Amino acid sequence: MKAFVVERYGSEAGARMREVPEPDLGEHDVLVQVRAASVNPLDVKIRDGEFKLILPYRVPFVLGHDMAGEVVRVGSAVRSFAPGDEVYARPRKDRIGTLSELMAVHEDDVAAKPSTLSMVEAAALPLVALTAWQALVERADVRPGQKVLVHAGSGGVGTIAIQLAKHLGAHVATTAGTANVTWVQRLGADVVVDYRRDDFETILRDYDVVLDSLGGETLEKSFRVLKPGGLAIGIAGPPDLAFAREINAHPIVRLATMLLSARPKLRARRRHVRYAFLFMRASGEQLRAVTALVDAGAITPVVDRVFSFESTKEAMAYVASGRAKGKVVVTMG
Ligand SMILES: NC(=O)c1ccc[n+]([C@@H]2O[C@H](COP(=O)([O-])OP(=O)(O)OC[C@H]3O[C@@H](n4cnc5c(N)ncnc54)[C@H](OP(=O)(O)O)[C@@H]3O)[C@@H](O)[C@H]2O)c1
């Protein structure tokens, strides 16, 4: 079967489409004929070797973090899925590889595909919807009436986080470029700050939660728009010690995360706000909650461009440009 494989870390040239053996099926696995898979900035960062310390995948390995498709076979212990089921998934971090014709996924990471969505639309959701859910529901426990700032509202994560925060009853602000202001308003944002013209720090104040997908100066400024006790959740970094413990990282990696997050943690403490890093994880259970929200019309995936599987390199280059409006999906036909 065909798959998009990283053979060498460090550049575009090190990843290519090639033939690989079909995956083995464990007793708790579901074998899926992948119909569509999305490309995430995480794929680009892993290909470029930026995550080697935290996620040390050994080359060659198949890239890809979410997909939608049809079950073709199930392991002997699987009871919840059967051949013919339409499903979607973000496989757990040690079993990535959705840019592939066939994919074996642990049943706990899989959910029924929202019936109202096409395969392309469904493939656009798992990683970003789980990220938004884990940030806003699990970590921040957003309540009606709270104020939530979602950075980069036109991005893959932002488009879903805005809709989820509105569904939770929050007042939602977002940052977006001039060309995207109107359509992120249509996604439900109450306040849109055009980051090319204005500085959000001078406009927003007393926020309960910030979801920061940009890091650096944006994260530091985000502390200043939070009310005392408020929470900034960083998904672009820096990683913190709690995360290193969660993934059982080597002591040297733990030390590195402590050092990397020392400055933002200190800045946050000085302003009586909190900073936490989030690295999303697979969860079929949370995906089922997402399915229910989609089928109820509360969340709609936003697909920017669709590429053929053969054009995965081009899809990766478009994601790497950082200009995608919503998600980039490849289809396996
Ligand atoms: N830790 C985790 O679990 C996790 C999970 C998901 C994603 N992430 C990370 O989160 C980041 C965002 O992911 P994504 O999928 O949402 O990325 P994306 O879809 O590639 O984001 C692109 C969007 O960001 C907007 N943007 C760029 N610079 C901006 C700025 N300064 N202010 C406001 N908007 C800006 C762009 O709009 P313009 O074209 O108008 O600039 C574009 O629409 C990535 O670094 C990704 O790796 C982490």
Side-chain angles (χ1 to χ4, degrees):
M1 65 167 195
K2 272 195 271 175
F4 191 73
V5 177
V6 176
E7 297 176 321
R8 225 173 41 252
Y9 277 115
S11 75
E12 216 175 296
R16 68 178 177 100
M17 196 70 80
R18 73 172 215 202
E19 285 293 319
V20 299
E22 288 193 6
D24 295 329
L25 191 67
E27 59 173 357
H28 283 285
D29 287 351
V30 170
L31 186 68
V32 180
Q33 176 89 52
V34 182
R35 301 284 185 211
S38 88
V39 176
N40 290 281
L42 182 58
D43 295 303
V44 177
K45 292 176 186 179
I46 287 177
R47 178 200 69 189
D48 291 348
E50 288 179 34
F51 270 73
K52 261 203 281 190
L53 261 186
I54 296 171
L55 301 169
Y57 302 120
R58 287 176 58 186
V59 291
F61 64 90
V62 181
L63 208 52
H65 288 83
D66 47 17
M67 54 96 169
E70 194 177 309
V71 175
V72 287
R73 215 161 62 234
V74 297
S76 57
V78 173
R79 299 284 171 266
S80 319
F81 298 98
D85 287 351
E86 293 193 334
V87 295
Y88 69 154
R90 186 297 194 213
R92 55 198 58 189
K93 66 177 170 33
D94 51 348
R95 294 189 61 186
I96 65 166
T98 56
L99 287 164
S100 172
E101 289 178 311
L102 284 170
M103 172 84 201
V105 194
H106 194 286
E107 59 176 329
D108 291 350
D109 303 344
V110 181
K113 170 181 124 349
S115 58
T116 48
L117 298 186
S118 66
M119 288 288 180
V120 164
E121 291 167 322
L125 273 178
L127 187 138
V128 293
L130 288 171
T131 304
W133 184 276
Q134 287 161 22
L136 301 179
V137 176
E138 201 172 63
R139 290 277 181 106
D141 190 21
V142 170
R143 298 277 145 192
Q146 285 193 315
K147 290 166 75 175
V148 175
L149 166 60
V150 173
H151 280 297
S154 58
V157 175
T159 48
I160 300 302
I162 290 172
Q163 298 179 70
L164 180 60
K166 281 309 291 178
H167 171 74
L168 296 170
H171 168 93
V172 181
T174 192
T175 51
T178 316
N180 296 327
V181 167
T182 309
W183 78 269
V184 290
Q185 253 157 4
R186 272 192 243 120
L187 287 175
D190 300 290
V191 180
V192 184
V193 179
D194 179 346
Y195 79 88
R196 294 185 191 274
R197 294 186 176 164
D198 298 313
D199 185 350
F200 71 91
E201 186 197 354
T202 63
I203 296 172
L204 308 176
R205 64 168 54 164
D206 290 338
Y207 274 71
D208 296 279
V209 178
V210 178
L211 175 52
D212 172 42
S213 54
L214 296 161
E217 199 192 354
T218 302
L219 176 62
E220 301 237 341
K221 287 183 176 183
S222 295
F223 296 149
R224 301 198 276 271
V225 307
L226 284 170
K227 61 162 71 148
L231 173 65
I233 299 172
I235 59 169
D240 60 9
L241 183 59
F243 163 69
R245 286 203 182 110
E246 203 179 291
I247 62 162
N248 214 5
H250 186 278
I252 292 180
V253 177
R254 289 184 192 212
L255 181 65
T257 58
M258 254 174 82
L259 295 173
L260 281 170
S261 59
R263 183 178 141 131
K265 288 265 185 195
L266 181 67
R267 294 272 165 108
R269 244 194 330 269
R270 279 195 188 137
R271 299 197 68 86
H272 307 288
V273 299
R274 295 167 291 149
Y275 168 67
F277 175 73
L278 169 75
F279 189 78
M280 60 79 57
R281 63 176 201 290
S283 168
E285 191 188 338
Q286 291 178 350
L287 259 190
R288 280 193 287 281
V290 170
T291 300
L293 288 185
V294 171
D295 284 339
I299 289 181
T300 306
V302 178
V303 178
D304 177 352
R305 284 202 198 167
V306 181
F307 291 81
S308 69
F309 190 29
E310 289 67 31
S311 304
T312 299
K313 255 184 198 252
E314 287 74 18
M316 297 268 295
Y318 184 54
V319 170
S321 77
R323 297 278 82 86
K325 291 165 67 171
K327 295 287 299 180
V328 175
V329 179
V330 301
T331 53
M332 281 69 175

